[in-house]
Amino acid sequence: KREEVTTEGGLDVAGQVEKLTEMTQGMHENGIKVSMFIDPEPAQIEASAAIGADAVEFHTGAYANAAGENVAIELKRLWDCAKRLSETPMLCHAGHGLTVRNLMPVALIPNLREVNIGHDIMARALFIGLDSAVKEILSVLNMERTKSYE
């Protein structure tokens, strides 16, 4: 069984506010920006804001692994939390399990600034080459964002 926190879910910022506040302050004192990798949950957003994070990256694994009607449920959770995040000064990032096939609904989040998709790009590169794999992802990210999943 995989035990890594980032594989199975986001960091529990809400359960470690004091410790993470100290770490965040230390990083800021050294000019380092801080992003918290969290599950899309309001309590984790609030805790990330409280510790002074500059950004959060939503763990998109539940969305990426969802099937049937659960896809819409997980996507709504991401959109709702991204909307809540937009009420803070933090930037919105997302990643984990995102692929060229499931990226678009996440890429359409209005305040999304960054996605992390390294695994899919490298896996696709084995079959179609790195240049083509990167271009596939960029084509999704650069599409007009006229569609809404709200």
Side-chain angles (χ1 to χ4, degrees), residues 58 75-87 90-94 103-115 141 143-150:
F58 290 126
L75 187 58
K76 183 174 182 344
R77 190 165 74 122
L78 286 164
W79 274 71
D80 289 349
C81 283
K83 187 173 185 176
R84 167 64 186 107
L85 184 64
S86 71
E87 299 166 2
M90 295 182 292
L91 297 176
C92 181
H93 304 162
L103 176 59
M104 180 52 77
V106 174
L108 291 172
I109 293 172
N111 58 326
L112 185 69
R113 302 288 297 217
E114 178 179 304
V115 290
L141 294 173
M143 285 182 180
E144 284 211 33
R145 288 165 169 64
T146 57
K147 198 171 183 182
S148 175
Y149 284 82
E150 285 191 282

Coordinates of all heavy atoms in Angstrom, one line a residue, residues 58 75-87 90-94 103-115 141 143-150:
F58 N -4.8 22.2 -5.4 CA -5.8 21.2 -5.1 C -5.4 19.8 -5.6 O -5.0 19.6 -6.7 CB -7.2 21.6 -5.7 CG -7.8 22.8 -5.1 CD1 -8.2 23.9 -5.9 CD2 -8.1 22.8 -3.8 CE1 -8.8 25.0 -5.3 CE2 -8.7 23.9 -3.2 CZ -9.0 25.0 -4.0
L75 N -15.8 17.2 -9.6 CA -15.6 18.4 -10.4 C -16.2 19.6 -9.7 O -15.6 20.7 -9.5 CB -16.1 18.3 -11.8 CG -15.7 19.4 -12.7 CD1 -14.2 19.6 -12.8 CD2 -16.2 19.1 -14.1
K76 N -17.5 19.4 -9.2 CA -18.2 20.5 -8.5 C -17.4 20.9 -7.3 O -17.3 22.1 -6.9 CB -19.6 20.1 -8.2 CG -20.4 21.2 -7.5 CD -21.8 20.9 -7.3 CE -22.7 21.9 -6.7 NZ -22.1 23.0 -6.0
R77 N -16.9 19.9 -6.6 CA -16.1 20.2 -5.3 C -14.9 21.0 -5.7 O -14.6 22.0 -5.0 CB -15.7 18.9 -4.7 CG -15.2 19.0 -3.3 CD -15.1 17.7 -2.6 NE -14.1 16.8 -3.1 CZ -13.1 16.3 -2.3 NH1 -13.1 16.6 -1.0 NH2 -12.2 15.5 -2.8
L78 N -14.2 20.7 -6.8 CA -13.1 21.5 -7.2 C -13.5 23.0 -7.5 O -12.9 23.9 -7.1 CB -12.4 20.9 -8.4 CG -11.5 19.6 -8.1 CD1 -11.2 18.9 -9.3 CD2 -10.3 20.0 -7.3
W79 N -14.6 23.1 -8.3 CA -15.0 24.4 -8.7 C -15.5 25.2 -7.5 O -15.2 26.4 -7.4 CB -16.2 24.3 -9.8 CG -15.6 24.1 -11.1 CD1 -15.0 23.1 -11.7 CD2 -15.7 25.1 -12.2 NE1 -14.7 23.3 -13.0 CE2 -15.1 24.6 -13.3 CE3 -16.2 26.4 -12.2 CZ2 -15.0 25.3 -14.5 CZ3 -16.1 27.1 -13.4 CH2 -15.5 26.5 -14.6
D80 N -16.2 24.6 -6.6 CA -16.7 25.3 -5.4 C -15.6 25.8 -4.6 O -15.6 26.9 -4.1 CB -17.7 24.4 -4.6 CG -19.0 24.2 -5.2 OD1 -19.3 24.9 -6.3 OD2 -19.7 23.3 -4.7
C81 N -14.6 24.9 -4.4 CA -13.4 25.3 -3.6 C -12.6 26.4 -4.3 O -12.0 27.3 -3.6 CB -12.6 24.1 -3.2 SG -13.4 23.2 -1.8
A82 N -12.5 26.3 -5.6 CA -11.7 27.3 -6.3 C -12.4 28.7 -6.2 O -11.8 29.7 -6.1 CB -11.6 26.9 -7.8
K83 N -13.7 28.6 -6.2 CA -14.5 29.9 -6.0 C -14.2 30.5 -4.6 O -14.0 31.7 -4.5 CB -16.0 29.6 -6.2 CG -16.8 30.9 -6.2 CD -18.2 30.6 -6.6 CE -19.0 31.9 -6.7 NZ -20.4 31.7 -7.1
R84 N -14.2 29.6 -3.6 CA -13.9 30.0 -2.2 C -12.5 30.6 -2.2 O -12.2 31.6 -1.6 CB -14.1 28.9 -1.3 CG -13.5 29.1 0.1 CD -14.2 30.2 0.9 NE -13.6 30.5 2.1 CZ -12.8 31.5 2.4 NH1 -12.6 32.4 1.4 NH2 -12.3 31.7 3.5
L85 N -11.6 29.9 -2.8 CA -10.2 30.3 -2.9 C -10.0 31.7 -3.5 O -9.2 32.5 -3.1 CB -9.3 29.3 -3.6 CG -7.8 29.5 -3.6 CD1 -7.3 29.5 -2.2 CD2 -7.2 28.6 -4.6
S86 N -10.9 32.0 -4.5 CA -10.8 33.3 -5.1 C -11.1 34.5 -4.2 O -10.8 35.6 -4.5 CB -11.7 33.4 -6.4 OG -13.0 33.4 -6.0
E87 N -11.7 34.2 -3.1 CA -12.0 35.2 -2.1 C -10.8 35.5 -1.1 O -10.9 36.3 -0.2 CB -13.2 34.8 -1.3 CG -14.5 34.6 -2.1 CD -15.6 33.9 -1.4 OE1 -15.4 33.5 -0.2 OE2 -16.6 33.6 -2.1
M90 N -4.7 34.0 -2.1 CA -3.9 32.9 -2.6 C -4.2 32.6 -4.1 O -5.3 32.7 -4.5 CB -4.1 31.7 -1.7 CG -3.7 31.8 -0.3 SD -4.0 30.3 0.7 CE -5.8 30.3 0.7
L91 N -3.2 32.0 -4.7 CA -3.3 31.6 -6.1 C -3.9 30.2 -6.1 O -3.7 29.4 -5.2 CB -2.0 31.6 -6.8 CG -1.3 33.0 -7.0 CD1 0.0 32.8 -7.6 CD2 -2.2 33.9 -7.8
C92 N -4.5 29.8 -7.2 CA -5.2 28.5 -7.4 C -4.4 27.6 -8.3 O -4.2 28.0 -9.5 CB -6.6 28.7 -7.9 SG -7.5 27.2 -8.1
H93 N -3.9 26.5 -7.9 CA -3.2 25.5 -8.7 C -3.9 24.1 -8.5 O -4.7 24.0 -7.6 CB -1.8 25.3 -8.2 CG -1.0 26.6 -8.2 ND1 0.2 26.7 -7.5 CD2 -1.2 27.8 -8.8 CE1 0.7 27.9 -7.7 NE2 -0.1 28.6 -8.4
A94 N -3.7 23.2 -9.4 CA -4.3 21.9 -9.3 C -3.4 20.8 -9.9 O -2.6 21.1 -10.8 CB -5.6 21.9 -10.1
L103 N -8.4 16.8 -18.3 CA -7.9 18.2 -18.0 C -8.9 19.3 -18.2 O -9.0 20.2 -17.4 CB -6.6 18.5 -18.7 CG -6.0 19.8 -18.5 CD1 -5.7 20.1 -17.0 CD2 -4.7 20.0 -19.3
M104 N -9.6 19.3 -19.3 CA -10.4 20.5 -19.7 C -11.3 21.0 -18.7 O -11.3 22.2 -18.4 CB -11.2 20.2 -21.0 CG -12.0 21.4 -21.5 SD -11.1 23.0 -21.6 CE -10.2 22.7 -23.1
P105 N -12.2 20.2 -18.0 CA -13.1 20.7 -17.0 C -12.3 21.4 -15.8 O -12.8 22.3 -15.3 CB -13.8 19.5 -16.5 CG -13.8 18.5 -17.6 CD -12.4 18.7 -18.2
V106 N -11.1 20.9 -15.5 CA -10.3 21.6 -14.5 C -9.7 22.9 -15.0 O -9.7 23.9 -14.4 CB -9.3 20.6 -13.9 CG1 -8.4 21.3 -12.9 CG2 -9.9 19.4 -13.3
A107 N -9.2 22.8 -16.3 CA -8.6 23.9 -16.9 C -9.5 25.1 -17.0 O -9.1 26.3 -17.1 CB -8.0 23.6 -18.2
L108 N -10.8 24.8 -17.1 CA -11.8 25.9 -17.2 C -12.1 26.7 -15.9 O -12.8 27.7 -15.9 CB -13.1 25.3 -17.7 CG -13.1 24.8 -19.2 CD1 -14.3 24.1 -19.5 CD2 -12.8 25.9 -20.1
I109 N -11.6 26.2 -14.8 CA -11.7 26.9 -13.5 C -11.2 28.4 -13.7 O -10.0 28.5 -14.1 CB -11.0 26.2 -12.4 CG1 -11.7 24.9 -12.1 CG2 -11.0 27.1 -11.1 CD1 -11.0 24.0 -11.1
P110 N -12.1 29.4 -13.6 CA -11.7 30.8 -13.9 C -10.4 31.3 -13.3 O -9.6 32.0 -13.9 CB -12.9 31.6 -13.5 CG -14.0 30.7 -13.5 CD -13.4 29.3 -13.1
N111 N -10.1 31.0 -12.1 CA -8.9 31.5 -11.4 C -7.8 30.6 -11.3 O -6.8 30.8 -10.6 CB -9.3 32.1 -10.0 CG -9.9 31.0 -9.1 OD1 -10.6 30.1 -9.6 ND2 -9.6 31.1 -7.8
L112 N -7.8 29.5 -12.1 CA -6.7 28.5 -12.1 C -5.5 29.1 -12.7 O -5.6 29.6 -13.8 CB -7.2 27.2 -12.8 CG -6.2 26.1 -12.8 CD1 -6.1 25.5 -11.4 CD2 -6.6 25.0 -13.8
R113 N -4.4 29.0 -12.0 CA -3.2 29.6 -12.5 C -2.1 28.6 -13.0 O -1.2 29.0 -13.7 CB -2.5 30.5 -11.4 CG -3.4 31.6 -10.9 CD -3.6 32.7 -11.9 NE -2.3 33.3 -12.2 CZ -2.1 34.5 -12.4 NH1 -3.1 35.4 -12.4 NH2 -0.9 35.0 -12.6
E114 N -2.2 27.4 -12.4 CA -1.1 26.4 -12.7 C -1.7 25.0 -12.6 O -2.6 24.8 -11.7 CB 0.0 26.6 -11.7 CG 1.1 25.6 -11.8 CD 2.2 26.0 -10.8 OE1 2.7 27.1 -10.7 OE2 2.5 25.0 -10.0
V115 N -1.3 24.1 -13.4 CA -1.6 22.7 -13.3 C -0.3 21.9 -13.3 O 0.7 22.3 -14.0 CB -2.5 22.2 -14.4 CG1 -3.9 22.8 -14.2 CG2 -2.0 22.5 -15.8
L141 N -5.0 23.5 -22.6 CA -4.9 24.7 -21.7 C -5.1 25.9 -22.5 O -5.6 26.9 -21.9 CB -3.5 24.7 -21.0 CG -3.2 23.6 -20.0 CD1 -1.8 23.6 -19.5 CD2 -4.2 23.7 -18.9
M143 N -7.1 26.3 -25.2 CA -8.5 26.4 -25.8 C -9.2 27.6 -25.2 O -9.0 27.9 -24.1 CB -9.3 25.1 -25.6 CG -8.8 24.0 -26.4 SD -9.9 22.6 -26.1 CE -9.1 21.4 -27.1
E144 N -10.1 28.1 -26.0 CA -11.0 29.2 -25.5 C -11.8 28.6 -24.3 O -12.3 27.5 -24.4 CB -11.9 29.7 -26.6 CG -11.2 30.6 -27.5 CD -12.1 31.6 -28.1 OE1 -13.0 32.1 -27.4 OE2 -11.9 32.0 -29.2
R145 N -11.9 29.4 -23.3 CA -12.6 29.0 -22.1 C -14.0 29.5 -22.1 O -14.4 30.3 -21.2 CB -11.8 29.4 -20.9 CG -10.5 28.6 -20.8 CD -9.5 29.1 -19.8 NE -8.4 28.2 -19.5 CZ -7.5 27.7 -20.4 NH1 -7.6 28.0 -21.6 NH2 -6.6 27.0 -20.0
T146 N -14.8 29.1 -23.1 CA -16.1 29.6 -23.2 C -17.1 28.7 -22.5 O -18.2 29.1 -22.3 CB -16.5 29.8 -24.7 OG1 -16.3 28.6 -25.3 CG2 -15.7 30.9 -25.3
K147 N -16.7 27.5 -22.3 CA -17.6 26.5 -21.7 C -17.5 26.6 -20.2 O -16.5 26.9 -19.6 CB -17.1 25.1 -22.1 CG -18.1 24.0 -21.9 CD -17.6 22.7 -22.6 CE -18.6 21.7 -22.5 NZ -18.2 20.4 -23.1
S148 N -18.6 26.4 -19.5 CA -18.6 26.4 -18.0 C -19.1 25.1 -17.5 O -20.1 24.5 -18.0 CB -19.6 27.6 -17.6 OG -19.7 27.6 -16.2
Y149 N -18.5 24.7 -16.4 CA -18.9 23.5 -15.7 C -19.5 23.8 -14.3 O -19.7 23.0 -13.5 CB -17.7 22.6 -15.5 CG -17.4 21.9 -16.8 CD1 -16.6 22.5 -17.8 CD2 -17.8 20.6 -17.1 CE1 -16.3 21.9 -19.0 CE2 -17.5 20.0 -18.3 CZ -16.8 20.6 -19.2 OH -16.5 20.0 -20.4
E150 N -19.9 25.1 -14.1 CA -20.5 25.5 -12.8 C -21.9 24.9 -12.7 O -22.6 24.7 -13.6 CB -20.5 27.0 -12.7 CG -19.1 27.5 -12.3 CD -19.2 29.0 -11.9 OE1 -19.3 29.8 -12.8 OE2 -19.1 29.2 -10.7

